[in-house]
Amino acid sequence: MSEFSKNPLNKVVRESKRAQYNKELIYNILDSHFICQIPYVFEETAIVIPTAYGRKGNTILIHGSLKNRMMLSLLNQEKVSLNVTHLDGIVLARSVFHHSVNYRSVNVFGKARLIEEDAEKMEALEIITENIIPGRWNEARIPNQKELDGTLVIAIDIEDASAKVREVEAADDSADYDLDVWAGVLELEVQSGRLVPNSDCKPGLPEPQSAKNFKFSNNPVKQP
Amino acid sequence: MSEFSKNPLNKVVRESKRAQYNKELIYNILDSHFICQIPYVFEETAIVIPTAYGRKGNTILIHGSLKNRMMLSLLNQEKVSLNVTHLDGIVLARSVFHHSVNYRSVNVFGKARLIEEDAEKMEALEIITENIIPGRWNEARIPNQKELDGTLVIAIDIEDASAKVREVEAADDSADYDLDVWAGVLELEVQSGRLVPNSDCKPGLPEPQSAKNFKFSNNPVKQP
C-alpha cells in the first residue's frame, strides 16, 4: 500500500488541499529532518519536547535517558504521535490575510514500544545517529555496554500518518491582484555554518568527512 | 520579577544544568522565531501542530480559521503550552554517546483566551505578521472587516516558562579525549534563500524592503 488510510486522527481538516497521505512523500519528509516534536500529557497539560529521531522502514526510533519523563510517558499511552516540520519560506501576498509560510509537515501516529535487546538498541542508535549526520557512526567510538544500558530506546510503529505541504507562490483574492504590492516567496534554507573544532580537539586530526558532506534538505518554491 | 518561578510543570528535569528561567532570555528566544509547536488532545491522543505566533509583553498571540480544531480545543483547556525550538548545530563528540545538538528551546504555559474586540484582533494580527517579517504590515493591504471576522485570534498569557539551551562545544568522558576522533560543532543556520517573485507579480514593482532586510536569528557555538 502506497498511502496511509485516512481516519479522524490523521485526516487533515484545515486547508485539506495541502494534505497528502502518500507513503513515499511522508518517508521523504521524515528522512529530510532529524528533530521531531513529541507531545505528551503531564498533570493534565499537553507538553511538547523536541527530540532526535531516525526511521527504520515504517518505524520511528527515538532515544533518551532512562528517566526521561516524556519518553516514559509514551510507553503508557495507547497511541502516541509526533510532528516533523520543515520551514521552507515566507509567502508574501498582496494582502496580509493571504500571507503564509511554505513548509513540509508530517504527523505520525502509532503505538510506542520499548526496545530492550542489545543488538536492536545498538542498531536503533546507529539509525538515529546516521539520520542526524550520515557517516558519523563509523567515525566515532560506538556505545559500550554501560552506555547502552543507560539509554532508553523507543520504537513507534507508524499506524497512521499525514503530510501537509505548501510549496507554491502567493495566492490572493482576485480584487487584490491589481494592487501595487510585490508578491512572491522569500525562501528559507537551513545551511551548514562553520565547522568549529573543540578547544581540546587533538591537534592534527582532519575535519571529519561526515561534517564536510553534511547537507540539510531544503525545498525551493515551485513556480507554475 | 526577572525570572519565571519553577514548578512541576515548567521545571526542567533532564540535564537541568541547561535550564534557564530568565525572562529576558526566554523572550529573546521567542522573538527570534515565528513558528511554535502547540500540542492538544484529540480522541485521547496528544497531537502537535506548528503555528505562527507573535509576542506582546507576557502574552503569546496566535491566529487561525474559525473552525481550527487545535485552536478551538485550546480554549477548552485549563492550561495550554507551546514549544519554540531553534536548531543551532550538530555536536560531534569522540563517542557516539555524547553526540548532541546545540539548540535554544522554550516551553511556555498559560491559559488561552479568545480575543474578540476588532481593534485588539487587528493589533494581534499586526504583531504576528511583524514577528514573521518585520516591516511587512505597512507594505501589504491590511485585513478588512470580512477577513477580521473570519479569523480566530487567541492570546496565551504566560504563567510559567522555561528555556533549555545548549550552545557549547562537545564534552566527552575523560578516557575518550585521547582517541583519534575529531570533536567539535557543525553550526546550522537558517538563511534567506532566493526572493522569488510570483509569476503574476505586477511588473516593475521593486523588491519589498521587508524581504531584503529579513534576517533569521542564529546562535553560533560559544567557545571557552
Side-chain angles (χ1 to χ4, degrees):
Chain A
M1 195 185 66
S2 63
E3 297 238 327
F4 289 101
S5 59
K6 281 180 247 186
N7 65 44
L9 211 50
N10 71 328
K11 185 162 177 257
V12 174
V13 184
R14 306 315 311 162
E15 305 195 83
S16 54
K17 66 180 187 295
R18 294 180 191 161
Q20 304 198 47
Y21 302 87
N22 179 273
K23 279 193 183 181
E24 193 183 335
L25 173 78
I26 287 168
Y27 289 160
N28 181 271
I29 294 171
L30 290 171
D31 295 348
S32 304
H33 213 313
F34 58 85
I35 299 292
C36 66
Q37 296 272 352
I38 306 192
Y40 72 110
V41 177
F42 176 72
E43 293 189 351
E44 294 179 18
T45 300
I47 304 179
V48 188
I49 302 288
T51 305
Y53 70 93
R55 179 179 73 87
K56 181 189 179 186
N58 197 47
T59 299
I60 299 289
L61 299 161
I62 57 173
H63 76 303
S65 83
L66 296 182
K67 291 180 179 171
N68 187 302
R69 185 172 80 186
M70 177 273 283
M71 290 187 64
L72 292 172
S73 88
L74 299 184
L75 296 171
N76 293 323
Q77 288 175 38
E78 195 52 50
K79 193 169 282 219
V80 305
S81 83
L82 57 87
N83 174 270
V84 172
T85 299
H86 289 264
L87 180 56
D88 292 322
I90 301 175
V91 179
L92 305 174
R94 287 102 178 156
S95 63
V96 164
F97 188 74
H98 285 292
H99 275 61
S100 186
V101 293
N102 276 349
Y103 59 91
R104 290 162 288 156
S105 171
V106 162
N107 282 81
V108 310
F109 302 85
K111 176 85 184 136
R113 61 182 163 85
L114 191 63
I115 292 194
E116 294 181 274
E117 204 263 311
D118 277 351
E120 228 188 319
K121 278 175 89 165
M122 190 67 97
E123 184 198 44
L125 295 177
E126 179 173 351
I127 288 169
I128 296 167
T129 305
E130 289 289 300
N131 189 47
I132 298 173
I133 177 164
R136 187 60 181 168
W137 183 264
N138 286 325
E139 293 171 350
R141 176 179 67 70
I142 65 168
N144 58 34
Q145 191 62 46
K146 190 183 156 204
E147 290 167 342
L148 216 52
D149 292 344
T151 304
L152 195 70
V153 178
I154 285 178
I156 299 166
D157 299 313
I158 305 177
E159 293 164 9
D160 303 302
S162 58
K164 208 168 164 186
V165 176
R166 193 194 192 289
E167 53 184 355
V168 293
E169 59 182 16
D172 273 292
D173 294 339
S174 51
D176 288 331
Y177 279 85
D178 199 41
L179 292 176
D180 285 333
V181 181
W182 188 96
V185 175
L186 175 61
E187 293 178 339
L188 297 180
E189 298 174 348
V190 179
Q191 301 287 0
S192 299
R194 298 175 304 163
L195 181 59
V196 182
N198 256 42
S199 58
D200 51 20
C201 186
K202 209 169 176 177
L205 292 177
E207 291 185 339
Q209 205 57 46
S210 63
K212 288 199 280 187
N213 292 345
F214 182 85
K215 205 163 168 13
F216 204 85
S217 159
N218 297 299
N219 198 33
V221 60
K222 305 289 179 287
Q223 287 183 279
Chain B
M1 195 185 67
S2 63
E3 297 237 327
F4 289 102
S5 59
K6 282 179 246 186
N7 65 47
L9 211 50
N10 71 328
K11 185 162 177 258
V12 175
V13 184
R14 305 316 310 160
E15 306 196 84
S16 54
K17 65 180 187 295
R18 295 180 189 161
Q20 304 198 49
Y21 302 88
N22 178 274
K23 280 193 181 179
E24 193 184 332
L25 172 79
I26 287 169
Y27 289 161
N28 181 269
I29 294 172
L30 290 171
D31 295 349
S32 304
H33 212 314
F34 57 86
I35 299 292
C36 66
Q37 297 272 352
I38 306 192
Y40 71 111
V41 177
F42 176 73
E43 293 190 350
E44 294 179 18
T45 301
I47 303 179
V48 189
I49 302 287
T51 305
Y53 70 93
R55 179 179 73 87
K56 180 188 179 187
N58 197 48
T59 299
I60 299 289
L61 299 160
I62 58 173
H63 76 304
S65 84
L66 296 182
K67 292 180 179 169
N68 187 302
R69 185 172 80 187
M70 178 271 285
M71 290 189 63
L72 292 173
S73 88
L74 299 185
L75 295 171
N76 294 323
Q77 288 174 37
E78 194 53 50
K79 193 170 282 221
V80 306
S81 83
L82 57 86
N83 174 271
V84 171
T85 299
H86 289 264
L87 180 56
D88 293 320
I90 301 175
V91 179
L92 305 174
R94 287 105 181 154
S95 62
V96 163
F97 189 74
H98 285 291
H99 275 62
S100 186
V101 294
N102 276 349
Y103 60 92
R104 289 162 290 156
S105 171
V106 162
N107 282 80
V108 309
F109 302 84
K111 175 85 185 139
R113 62 184 163 84
L114 190 64
I115 292 193
E116 295 182 273
E117 204 263 312
D118 278 351
E120 228 189 320
K121 277 175 90 166
M122 189 67 97
E123 185 199 44
L125 296 176
E126 179 173 350
I127 288 169
I128 295 167
T129 305
E130 289 289 300
N131 189 47
I132 297 173
I133 177 164
R136 186 59 182 169
W137 184 264
N138 287 325
E139 293 171 349
R141 177 178 67 69
I142 65 168
N144 57 35
Q145 190 62 46
K146 190 183 156 207
E147 291 167 342
L148 215 50
D149 292 344
T151 304
L152 194 69
V153 178
I154 285 178
I156 299 165
D157 299 313
I158 305 176
E159 293 165 10
D160 303 301
S162 58
K164 207 168 165 184
V165 176
R166 193 194 191 289
E167 55 183 355
V168 293
E169 59 183 15
D172 272 292
D173 294 338
S174 52
D176 288 332
Y177 279 85
D178 198 41
L179 291 176
D180 285 334
V181 181
W182 188 95
V185 175
L186 175 62
E187 293 179 340
L188 297 179
E189 297 174 349
V190 179
Q191 300 287 359
S192 300
R194 298 174 305 162
L195 181 61
V196 183
N198 257 42
S199 59
D200 51 20
C201 187
K202 211 170 175 178
L205 291 177
E207 291 185 338
Q209 205 57 46
S210 63
K212 289 199 279 187
N213 292 345
F214 182 84
K215 204 162 169 18
F216 203 85
S217 158
N218 296 301
N219 198 32
V221 60
K222 306 288 180 287
Q223 287 184 279

